[in-house]
Structures are given as C-alpha cells and as structure tokens.
Amino acid sequence: ADVSIATLFAHVPDGKDALIFDDGDDRHVWLAAAVRERPAGQSVLAALRRCLAERGPFAGDLPPEQRRKRDLIVGTPALREYSRRLWIAAEGPLAEAIAAETGRGPADMTVRALARYVLEIPELAGAEPDPRAALDAVFDLLESGWAERA
C-alpha cells in the first residue's frame, strides 16, 4: 500500500496483533445467537458447545488459508493472548443472552461465571493436541459439574 511501517501502526492502535484479527464484534453476535436461536429443548451449554466446535481451533474442515491463520495464532503466544482478550470482551453480551434465556440477571455471578468459563475454552483447549476432544472435555465438566473422584 506504499505506507511506512510506522504510519501503518499509527493507524492500528492495538499493534500488529490487530492486523491478524477483526475487532471481535461479530463474535458477540454469533455467540448470543447460538444461545437465543438454539433448537427447542437444547440446553444453553449444548448450543455453545456446537457453536464453538464449528470455529477456530476446533473446526476440522477449514480452508487452507484459514487453517494457516489458525495455526499461526495457536502457535504464537502473543497472538493467542490477543485472541483471548477478544474472546473475553464478549463476556457481557454472552452473559446477557444466557441471563435472558435462563430467567436470571446478567449480573448474577453464576451467569457471569458460565459466560467467562465458556469464553476461556478457546485459549485453554485450542492449543491441545486434540482441540476438539479438549473442548468436549471442558463442556462435559461444565454440564455435569466437578466430581471429586473420577
């Protein structure tokens, strides 16, 4: 684009990490939609599991260019942290959607905790050797609760 690096970064205040990602606003929309538009009888957690399983490190059938981008993000600590911040920024809208669907308030600690836990899954499970199995393990835990003995 015939622009110096300094000029480019002057227009990208979040730094070079922001050049790899969009602003994350659409994430708020599709996460809330996954909760609000889930099929009758499907739990909030099942809807969110399905939604995440189709994206990022969990999607199995990505086109090669998206697979390269995913691998770059997962393999670069600074990009993974930036990605995590974008995920966590969706906590408020996701908590509002969960609250609306469960009859609780968005400030309810259990609603906020569930939203945060779900939004931590891409960072936590995305770099595992089998990201999809890790995603399923975390959702299994969220759905059944912690058992002291395996």
Side-chain angles (χ1 to χ4, degrees), residues 1-5 7-8:
D2 200 26
V3 175
S4 76
I5 298 294
T7 301
L8 175 64

Side-chain angles (χ1 to χ4, degrees), residues 17 19 29 60 64 80 88 97 113 115 119 129 133-134 137:
D17 300 339
L19 294 172
V29 173
R80 280 181 54 197
I88 297 304
L119 295 171

